[in-house]
Amino acid sequence: MGDVFAWLLFFFILIALLVMIVFQLMCLADLEFDYINPYDSASRINNVVLPEFITQGVLCFLFLVTGHWVMSLLCVPYLYYNVRLYLRRQHLIDVTEIFNLLNWEKKQRLFKLGYIILLLFMCLFWMIFNALEEDEHSF
Amino acid sequence: MGTENPNPPSYPVRPAATPFAAMQSTPPFLSSGPVAGSESSSFRPVPPASSQFRAPPFSSGPVVGSEVPAFRPPPSGRSNELVGPPPSSSSSSSHGPPAAGFQRFPTPSLPSVGHAVPQRTGQPVLSPTTRPAAGTVASPPISLLSQPQPPSIPMGSPPPSMKTGQVNGNIPPPAHQLLSSSRPNVQPSSPPVRPSYVTTPGISQATIPGYVNAQPNTVAQAQPMQPASFTLQQRGYAPGAPPTPFLAQQRSVNPPSLYSGNQMQHHVVAPPTATSPGLAEDFSSLSLGSVPGSFNAGIDNAALPRPLDGDVEPKSLAEMYPMNCSSRSLRLTTSGIPSSMSLASRWHLPLGAIVCPLAEPPAGEEVPIVNFVTTGIIRCKRCRTYVNPFVSFTDNGRKWKCNICSILNDVPGDYFAHVDASGRRVDLDQRPELTQGTIEFIAPAEYMVRPPMPPLYFFLIDVSISAVKSGMIEVMAQTIKSCLDSLPGYPRTQIGFITYDSTIHFYNMKSSLMQPQMMVVSDLDDVFIPLPDDLLVNLSESRNVVDAFLDSLPSMFQDNTNVESALGSALKAAFTVMRQLGGKLLIFQNTLPSLGVGRLRLRGDDIRVYGTDKEPASRAPEDPFYKQMAADLTKYQIAVNIYAFSDKYTDIASLGTLAKYTGGQVYYYPSFQASIHKDKLRHELTRDLTRETAWEAVMRIRCSKGVRFTNYHGNFMLRSTDLLALPAVDCDKAYAAQLSLEETLLTMQTVYFQVALLYTSSSGERRIRVHTAAAPVVADLGEMYRLADTGAIISLLSRLAIEKSLSHKLEDTRNAVQLRIVKTLREYRNLYAVQHRLSGKMIYPESLKFLPLYGLALCKSLPLRGGYADAQIDERCAAGYTMMALPVKKLLKLLYPNLVRVDYSVVNLSPQTDESNIIRKRLPLTADCLDTRGLYIFDDGFRFIIWFGRSISPDVVRNLVGEDFTGDYSKVSLSPRDNEMSRKLMKILDKFRESDPSYYQLCHLVRQADQPREGFFLLGNLVDDQNGGANSYADWILQLHRQIQQNT
């Protein structure tokens, strides 16, 4: 039973990650179409960058401690990338150069989005798989 | 090479193909034909010809007509020159001259052949009949004809003699006869002929390049057009040609003659050229290998092209669109906008524009100001374009069509005027906005976010020990005081001061006080602003207090021994004070900021870092505090100018971001000493304070659908994708923008650009400065090359390179510059090399003849040169920031400085000698030009280096420098002395300074063989020479040539 709850937890964490990334993408898109000024856009995005990194790190850690080391391994490249960005101090958006980096920032977040969605589906699969297994056992 | 002007008329004519291409295969030829025809058509009223062409940019009949004289005269004059002696050429190589003659023509000629034929045929008739001596220069047509062929000697002779010339030239005599016989037939139609002559030069040229196998095609084409009798003759003619000795070339010669029939004279001329095949090739290649002929034997150094006349702007665009704004305000890297993405991708140079929105008009000219307050400013309802000379009025003046988005707009009632038969508004002469490319509108209230703010100057002064020691404070205080009367915006001007070392000092300057009141705040983490309302005062009200403050400032801190500098906190305090109004913030920084937020650390002095991946980091800003601060400052309309004075590392890379993102400027005075640098600081600070400044500005560049400005480079901050925020702008700042195509194929024939700068003038008026320009769309790469503007290209290229150097190694950056040039020239070579055996020659378009040299100069410029030891990191960064904002002309002068010899005029004591003559005699930048008995001035716009030859008369030196002329020149300054020579030299220097007032050129004296001083100041900057591991000009050309030939 615990496994199902664990997967459910992972699932919600992933959803949270997804929301944060989509939010950043939306800010960037708004900026591109001039609905928002670069100052607001940058500060909004920067506000969620660290939470996103931390959430992702926690997720990776949780996978590891719950023994789902394959999933944990899958999270590692993402984590490594984030850590590298952070160490190089490139994780925050630079408001002065935001327009020159717009395409790159968008591309980077789109990749992250795809990655998260992939994880989400795997998580969903395992959750359902576990739930069905539990069901079988309960008979 | 020798020719400097790509002939203007020729290019509009042929959008389609270059002559060579045309020759190769039929289709191109056809296409080119019509185009060329257009040219001829313009001159001739004949309908058939004109109908065929697609409308050229300046298709309108009348305009063309008017242009014709404008265009032609110069060439014709030239032709005259050419006629007599072998072509006189400017600095170019021996090959140069002939090429020059031909260069322009090849293209037009061919096309014209096709269509023009019938009428041309008339020409010959004329010459024999009406004109007694066809050959005489007097007859306009003839002179024109002569143009193309430098060796035009035969031309001068009357027709009969010419024939003989032909014979020599291997052209079969029968042909001539045929032609001559044809003349009578044509005669009746001849009257219109004269104008058609104009085109003829082209034809003659065509003959030359045409040697491929164009003949059959051309003939075929021509036939249908011509009268029957004529065709017959032609045929007869054509067969005759082959037998002649020089197959290829002669053929080409013959056929054109056939078509033109009339151009017997030409033929005569042509043969001589034909006899020397080498020359013919050169012509056809358009640009002569400068280097080339003697490739293996080594390069004739003197023959390499050098921009000794300074920046020569291409004039063709201005002539084609006389209503364009001046090139001072807007320069395109190429005036021919590529018609398709595939074409754009073959253009390896940056495609874009350099914009200098507030460029100073020359004396006597003023930007017309238009007040639209009653009607509201007329703008397109869809794309928001301002009304400009290129809009057209329709529907009897009730609607106007936007030139940028083609939509029809209603004309407001107050602005209505009737339209005459030709589509011109009857009140055109009273509407400067419809006739001038540059215009200024007075903006009504809807263009204001807030009421226009008064000009505000705020001074943030570092008073730590080094500032006191160097004497900076005293010079600065005196200068500011002397400028108080001339600050713009009286009587609204606001002013304020903060000084800082390890504490921050505020000054209460309330007008009711007699003396300023000083308040010291030592808590740097959370700066408390005392009396926020009295720190910023109205200058005219508090004038006495400000004067008293500036008088006492130097003495106030003369005993200060504080070595710290809390710039970050002081900056925050100034920001808080200024944020209500915006304005200009001048920071005088003497040491590395060492306390509080934004403190910086020593970095970039590690030699081991060079050549590794960490190298670029030393040139990039380190602390994000300054970037963030810059963003905030821009948001509140504050522009920052940095004055840095330290002799030690100050991290200009980080401090400079303040200027970069706020539209400011970096002034760097390494090792400032009041006794030496006083004048420089005084002049530059004065100019900064008193020049006309535009406040609270935003700039946007609009352009026709299908193209888009994507990247911007310069000192500003982007507020949205295409809106540049510029808290302060002045005439010394230029911005670069890169253009990209949005659609795969452009359908229009003209692209329009409109630069709009919305700003607050110092007088408190909201205004819009609008520059409008048009440029033709071309479908041919050769055309793009022909319309290229080296100055703009280099300006954009250098900005890209400097930006790249912040994230890449210097070596990589230089290689990237080189690669771009190589790709460009290789592409150009591919255009022409196939038809013409050009091995061993480097060919390049006339318009880009200085590109390799400027490219080399860019690689040797301060921001990009050498490695660790070749320049101080701070100097590199400061130069980089400066170059990012420089207008084109100043940048070119910085890259390739003037070197002039002055000892003759200094020693020559006659008072009448004209200094302006000296300025014109620029020398190549090579040590070979330096005569040991000479006195030279090296002027790069930022400083003068005065070089004394070893064997110069001691008398001269004593007169100029004084008694200690044998001493150390680093301590000697050049001051006016009481003798004629000194006065003369000073006069010359003043003359130089007048011509370039944006910076003060400080004199550095250098004696020959006084190392390392000489090497540092002069030898290292001689671009043409090999220095510090960098190539000499000749080697560079060879290297480029080698790379171009690889993979071709």
Side-chain angles (χ1 to χ4, degrees):
Chain A
M1 200 61 199
D3 238 18
V4 179
F5 279 114
W7 282 112
L8 212 58
L9 178 67
F10 299 150
F11 178 75
F12 283 117
I13 292 178
L14 277 170
I15 293 285
L17 269 179
L18 199 71
V19 168
M20 281 190 270
I21 288 173
V22 169
F23 174 77
Q24 295 179 27
L25 275 172
M26 272 169 48
C27 287
L28 288 175
D30 280 355
L31 181 69
E32 197 174 0
F33 294 106
D34 210 4
Y35 295 135
I36 185 175
N37 70 51
Y39 301 97
D40 293 346
S41 179
S43 72
R44 283 183 202 177
I45 292 172
N46 288 344
N47 280 340
V48 289
V49 165
L50 269 191
E52 179 213 322
F53 284 17
I54 291 168
T55 315
Q56 204 274 334
V58 167
L59 179 70
C60 188
F61 178 74
L62 283 181
F63 274 138
L64 194 66
V65 296
T66 51
H68 305 287
W69 58 271
V70 176
M71 289 294 281
S72 177
L73 224 56
L74 274 177
C75 282
V76 164
Y78 191 153
L79 186 66
Y80 169 75
Y81 182 71
N82 281 349
V83 168
R84 206 181 66 134
L85 277 187
Y86 184 79
L87 290 181
R88 293 184 174 193
R89 309 195 141 271
Q90 289 170 350
H91 59 294
L92 291 182
I93 288 212
D94 177 0
V95 65
T96 52
E97 292 289 342
I98 189 166
F99 286 104
N100 295 336
L101 300 173
L102 199 58
N103 282 334
W104 162 245
E105 298 283 350
K106 270 172 73 175
K107 200 192 280 173
Q108 174 198 337
R109 283 172 175 77
L110 278 175
F111 271 105
K112 282 186 174 182
L113 189 68
Y115 203 96
I116 295 288
I117 288 175
L118 186 76
L119 285 180
L120 196 68
F121 277 114
M122 294 182 72
C123 181
L124 218 56
F125 169 79
W126 282 115
M127 187 168 67
I128 293 168
F129 182 83
N130 272 308
L132 290 178
E133 229 170 38
E134 297 265 334
D135 260 7
E136 275 174 25
H137 285 298
S138 62
F139 278 116
Chain B
M1 315 303 32
T3 67
E4 59 257 299
N5 47 345
N7 98 350
S10 69
Y11 92 65
V13 175
R14 44 167 162 152
T18 57
F20 315 104
M23 307 292 275
Q24 263 186 328
S25 63
T26 345
F29 182 77
L30 288 176
S31 67
S32 68
V35 181
S38 73
E39 193 186 43
S40 60
S41 74
S42 63
F43 303 117
R44 282 172 286 137
V46 184
S50 63
S51 66
Q52 282 186 343
F53 325 124
R54 81 180 212 200
F58 48 1
S59 60
S60 70
V63 179
V64 175
S66 65
E67 278 175 357
V68 175
F71 286 134
R72 288 299 164 168
S76 71
R78 191 172 186 72
S79 69
N80 291 338
E81 288 177 357
L82 293 177
V83 173
S88 68
S89 75
S90 50
S91 63
S92 65
S93 69
S94 62
H95 293 286
F102 284 91
Q103 274 184 339
R104 10 179 122 166
F105 304 109
T107 26
S109 65
L110 264 190
S112 64
V113 173
H115 295 279
V117 178
Q119 293 193 346
R120 296 269 174 71
T121 55
Q123 260 195 348
V125 179
L126 257 193
S127 55
T129 59
T130 57
R131 312 243 159 182
T136 58
V137 182
S139 68
I142 295 172
S143 67
L144 285 176
L145 294 177
S146 67
Q147 235 189 339
Q149 290 105 353
S152 52
I153 307 158
M155 295 263 320
S157 60
S161 68
M162 295 171 77
K163 283 188 182 177
T164 61
Q166 273 189 341
V167 176
N168 297 339
N170 302 330
I171 293 184
H176 296 291
Q177 293 173 352
L178 286 178
L179 282 179
S180 62
S181 67
S182 71
R183 290 176 190 172
N185 299 337
V186 187
Q187 250 188 346
S189 64
S190 61
V193 169
R194 285 251 202 117
S196 68
Y197 278 115
V198 180
T199 57
T200 53
I203 294 183
S204 67
Q205 279 188 346
T207 64
I208 299 158
Y211 61 87
V212 188
N213 52 0
Q215 217 189 354
N217 303 334
T218 54
V219 174
Q221 262 198 337
Q223 282 180 349
M225 312 256 328
Q226 297 161 341
S229 65
F230 195 70
T231 52
L232 281 179
Q233 289 171 352
Q234 278 188 340
R235 282 181 188 171
Y237 203 110
T244 60
F246 296 144
L247 287 180
Q249 289 178 349
Q250 280 194 346
R251 277 188 193 175
S252 65
V253 173
N254 294 338
S257 66
L258 291 178
Y259 317 126
S260 55
N262 47 358
Q263 289 157 341
M264 285 310 303
Q265 303 97 342
H266 275 294
H267 296 294
V268 181
V269 179
T273 57
T275 52
S276 59
L279 288 185
E281 283 176 2
D282 290 342
F283 309 149
S284 58
S285 73
L286 254 195
S287 35
L288 213 203
S290 57
V291 191
S294 52
F295 173 57
N296 287 327
I299 295 177
D300 178 10
N301 225 326
L304 296 174
R306 290 185 172 87
L308 299 183
D309 299 327
D311 173 32
V312 181
E313 295 169 26
K315 295 274 184 289
S316 56
L317 189 65
E319 280 163 3
M320 205 185 347
Y321 298 102
M323 290 185 295
N324 266 6
C325 63
S326 145
S327 63
R328 288 183 303 275
S329 321
L330 178 74
R331 276 176 86 163
L332 294 165
T333 55
T334 172
S335 315
I337 306 297
S339 64
S340 65
M341 275 185 181
S342 58
L343 183 57
S345 67
R346 291 169 65 200
W347 172 255
H348 297 284
L349 292 167
L351 184 62
I354 309 292
V355 179
C356 185
L358 289 181
E360 279 177 322
E365 260 179 56
E366 275 196 7
V367 178
I369 298 178
V370 178
N371 195 335
F372 264 135
V373 171
T374 50
T375 50
I377 296 177
I378 317 286
R379 298 177 69 177
C380 173
K381 63 190 171 194
R382 183 162 74 189
C383 64
R384 310 302 291 152
T385 301
Y386 295 85
V387 69
N388 62 65
F390 300 100
V391 304
S392 52
F393 288 83
T394 57
D395 198 8
N396 203 17
R398 280 191 292 273
K399 304 229 182 215
W400 63 276
K401 187 176 178 190
C402 171
N403 56 324
I404 287 190
C405 67
S406 307
I407 200 176
L408 278 179
N409 294 277
D410 294 329
V411 175
D414 294 346
Y415 195 64
F416 176 80
H418 286 287
V419 173
D420 67 12
S422 61
R424 287 156 42 100
R425 278 172 66 112
V426 291
D427 63 346
L428 201 61
D429 48 342
Q430 292 143 33
R431 296 282 183 193
E433 73 274 14
L434 296 180
T435 53
Q436 307 257 332
T438 296
I439 194 88
E440 192 150 293
F441 295 114
I442 294 178
E446 62 256 35
Y447 289 86
M448 302 174 197
V449 184
R450 56 178 185 175
M453 293 291 134
L456 185 156
Y457 291 92
F458 202 91
F459 299 88
L460 199 55
I461 304 158
D462 176 10
V463 291
S464 58
I465 184 165
S466 53
V468 180
K469 269 197 193 155
S470 67
M472 180 279 285
I473 297 184
E474 197 173 350
V475 180
M476 180 213 62
Q478 285 170 1
T479 310
I480 296 176
K481 196 176 170 210
S482 68
C483 290
L484 288 180
D485 284 325
S486 42
L487 286 185
Y490 176 86
R492 304 160 71 231
T493 316
Q494 306 274 311
I495 197 166
F497 296 87
I498 287 181
T499 59
Y500 61 96
D501 42 28
S502 63
T503 55
I504 301 172
H505 323 128
F506 296 90
Y507 298 90
N508 176 1
M509 306 226 194
K510 212 162 148 175
S511 54
S512 53
L513 296 171
M514 287 304 292
Q515 284 287 319
Q517 211 175 34
M518 179 172 170
M519 290 154 289
V520 178
V521 173
S522 54
D523 180 6
L524 297 178
D525 294 330
D526 182 19
V527 180
F528 164 74
I529 312 274
L531 300 171
D533 298 334
D534 295 330
L535 298 176
L536 205 55
V537 293
N538 182 302
L539 177 61
S540 52
E541 289 169 12
S542 302
R543 180 64 193 266
N544 293 333
V545 194
V546 173
D547 278 344
F549 168 74
L550 289 171
D551 285 336
S552 58
L553 184 62
S555 55
M556 234 187 305
F557 293 102
Q558 64 186 354
D559 300 324
N560 193 359
T561 54
N562 201 323
V563 295
E564 307 285 0
S565 165
L567 174 63
S569 308
L571 191 61
K572 280 191 147 174
F575 172 60
T576 320
V577 176
M578 294 176 74
R579 62 190 294 171
Q580 298 299 326
L581 295 179
K584 210 165 186 170
L585 175 63
L586 292 91
I587 300 178
F588 296 84
Q589 181 67 24
N590 283 277
T591 53
L592 193 66
S594 57
L595 279 183
V597 287
R599 77 178 146 264
L600 298 167
R601 58 191 182 82
L602 219 55
R603 64 191 180 112
D605 59 346
D606 187 356
I607 191 168
R608 285 165 301 176
V609 165
Y610 271 78
T612 70
D613 290 340
K614 284 184 186 156
E615 177 202 314
S618 60
R619 291 185 294 271
E622 185 198 29
D623 193 333
F625 168 79
Y626 290 99
K627 267 194 169 180
Q628 190 55 49
M629 206 62 213
D632 291 340
L633 289 163
T634 311
K635 197 173 174 183
Y636 290 95
Q637 305 289 2
I638 301 168
V640 179
N641 281 1
I642 306 257
Y643 290 79
F645 301 94
S646 177
D647 51 344
K648 298 194 199 71
Y649 180 69
T650 333
D651 203 347
I652 301 285
S654 296
L655 294 181
T657 53
L658 284 175
K660 178 174 169 60
Y661 295 109
T662 59
Q665 214 173 331
V666 176
Y667 297 88
Y668 183 49
Y669 308 85
S671 315
F672 182 86
Q673 285 299 323
S675 54
I676 301 171
H677 301 95
K678 179 173 58 189
D679 290 334
K680 188 168 172 67
L681 174 60
R682 187 176 295 150
H683 176 97
E684 287 169 8
L685 181 56
T686 305
R687 181 164 172 96
D688 187 13
L689 292 177
T690 56
R691 67 188 162 196
E692 189 50 51
T693 305
W695 310 87
E696 309 178 278
V698 288
M699 185 170 86
R700 176 172 270 143
I701 312 177
R702 295 185 172 83
C703 50
S704 299
K705 200 162 157 286
V707 291
R708 195 165 65 94
F709 282 105
T710 44
N711 287 302
Y712 299 86
H713 311 275
N715 291 2
F716 57 82
M717 188 163 144
L718 278 173
R719 194 172 290 167
S720 76
T721 39
D722 61 346
L723 188 68
L724 276 59
L726 305 163
V729 206
D730 50 65
C731 59
D732 295 330
K733 311 246 163 56
Y735 307 90
Q738 270 184 286
L739 196 65
S740 65
L741 266 64
E742 276 188 314
E743 292 166 9
T744 43
L745 209 60
L746 297 185
T747 49
M748 65 276 201
Q749 275 141 24
T750 314
V751 169
Y752 297 94
F753 300 96
Q754 188 169 68
V755 180
L757 178 84
L758 171 64
Y759 69 94
T760 304
S761 69
S762 296
S763 56
E765 218 170 17
R766 203 73 173 140
R767 292 185 176 181
I768 309 166
R769 175 79 59 104
V770 178
H771 305 283
T772 314
V777 174
V778 300
D780 166 32
L781 191 60
E783 204 56 63
M784 290 180 71
Y785 277 111
R786 208 159 295 116
L787 294 172
D789 176 352
T790 307
I793 289 170
I794 283 295
S795 185
L796 194 43
L797 209 54
S798 63
R799 287 170 197 238
L800 290 171
I802 290 167
E803 276 178 9
K804 190 176 170 117
S805 75
L806 301 184
S807 54
H808 292 76
K809 284 184 266 184
L810 291 178
E811 185 70 41
D812 297 347
T813 311
R814 287 191 297 262
N815 287 341
V817 171
Q818 185 175 352
L819 187 65
R820 267 199 128 132
I821 296 175
V822 167
K823 275 186 178 168
T824 304
L825 296 180
R826 185 186 293 156
E827 192 74 46
Y828 187 74
R829 189 183 179 82
N830 290 345
L831 278 183
Y832 297 112
V834 183
Q835 299 100 313
H836 309 284
R837 301 171 297 274
L838 287 170
S839 61
K841 292 201 174 91
M842 179 163 149
I843 67 168
Y844 44 79
E846 174 67 20
S847 57
L848 296 181
K849 63 181 168 184
F850 300 136
L851 182 71
L853 178 58
Y854 279 125
L856 176 65
L858 177 61
C859 291
K860 291 181 176 183
S861 67
L862 210 45
L864 300 185
R865 78 165 54 148
Y868 172 78
D870 294 290
Q872 295 283 321
I873 183 89
D874 271 348
E875 287 187 46
R876 259 186 221 283
C877 295
Y881 283 121
T882 306
M883 283 168 69
M884 288 294 285
L886 277 187
V888 176
K889 279 192 189 301
K890 282 167 193 153
L891 178 73
L892 292 186
K893 191 172 172 197
L894 176 63
L895 288 180
Y896 201 81
N898 298 351
L899 180 68
V900 290
R901 180 169 188 171
V902 292
D903 50 316
Y904 295 130
S905 42
V906 168
V907 174
N908 180 4
L909 293 182
S910 74
Q912 296 302 327
T913 43
D914 186 12
E915 280 82 12
S916 60
N917 274 338
I918 305 166
I919 300 179
R920 282 188 224 120
K921 280 189 229 146
R922 293 179 57 176
L923 299 168
L925 292 181
T926 161
D928 301 341
C929 291
L930 299 174
D931 183 353
T932 55
R933 286 160 303 177
L935 175 68
Y936 294 83
I937 298 180
F938 173 92
D939 167 22
D940 66 3
F942 289 79
R943 57 183 177 174
F944 291 144
I945 291 156
I946 302 183
W947 187 86
F948 293 83
R950 197 190 297 127
S951 329
I952 192 171
S953 141
D955 205 32
V956 176
V957 185
R958 188 180 297 117
N959 277 331
L960 294 178
V961 182
E963 286 308 319
D964 52 349
F965 64 92
T966 49
D968 181 2
Y969 274 20
S970 60
K971 297 199 182 78
V972 177
S973 69
L974 201 66
S975 51
R977 280 165 215 285
D978 191 23
N979 61 62
E980 195 56 37
M981 284 186 198
S982 178
R983 274 193 289 272
K984 268 242 153 78
L985 184 63
M986 286 299 155
K987 225 165 124 189
I988 293 172
L989 294 181
D990 286 344
K991 195 110 190 168
F992 281 144
R993 285 189 182 123
E994 262 171 41
S995 68
D996 190 3
S998 15
Y999 292 89
Y1000 182 85
Q1001 295 85 12
L1002 200 66
C1003 292
H1004 300 275
L1005 307 189
V1006 170
R1007 199 169 23 200
Q1008 186 176 12
D1010 179 14
Q1011 297 293 0
R1013 192 175 160 80
E1014 186 193 19
F1016 172 71
F1017 276 113
L1018 188 65
L1019 299 185
N1021 294 316
L1022 293 178
V1023 174
D1024 291 5
D1025 282 345
Q1026 186 169 0
N1027 33 29
N1031 283 323
S1032 71
Y1033 188 17
D1035 291 344
W1036 168 259
I1037 290 283
L1038 284 180
Q1039 197 180 336
L1040 289 182
H1041 181 63
R1042 215 167 293 135
Q1043 293 185 1
I1044 290 167
Q1045 287 203 310
Q1046 287 165 2
N1047 318 323
T1048 41

